[in-house]
Amino acid sequence: MTSGGTFAVVLFGVTFGLIVNASLDAVGDIHVGAAAGLCALAFLTTIALMIAVDRATARRISRA
């Protein structure tokens, strides 16, 4: 996996950590805006991860 793919995976993990943390903090409070923002960030990170993996796979195929 390329450095971009590795960065996307790390960012993905951090994002999910933030979502879990926000969910645990929101048990007593309602933070709809923060939760929606974190979900959007997780979605965009997923897209970035998919693009990074696709590019890495395409490079490996072209080298073979």
Side-chain angles (χ1 to χ4, degrees), residues 5-59:
T6 304
F7 176 74
V9 170
V10 170
L11 186 60
F12 191 69
V14 169
T15 302
F16 272 117
L18 290 173
I19 291 171
V20 169
N21 187 28
S23 297
L24 293 175
D25 287 344
V27 171
D29 299 332
I30 298 176
H31 298 285
V32 176
L38 288 173
C39 288
L41 183 60
F43 175 74
L44 294 175
T45 305
T46 303
I47 299 299
L49 178 63
M50 290 171 47
I51 290 169
V53 169
D54 283 344
R55 287 184 181 173
T57 303
R59 279 190 219 132

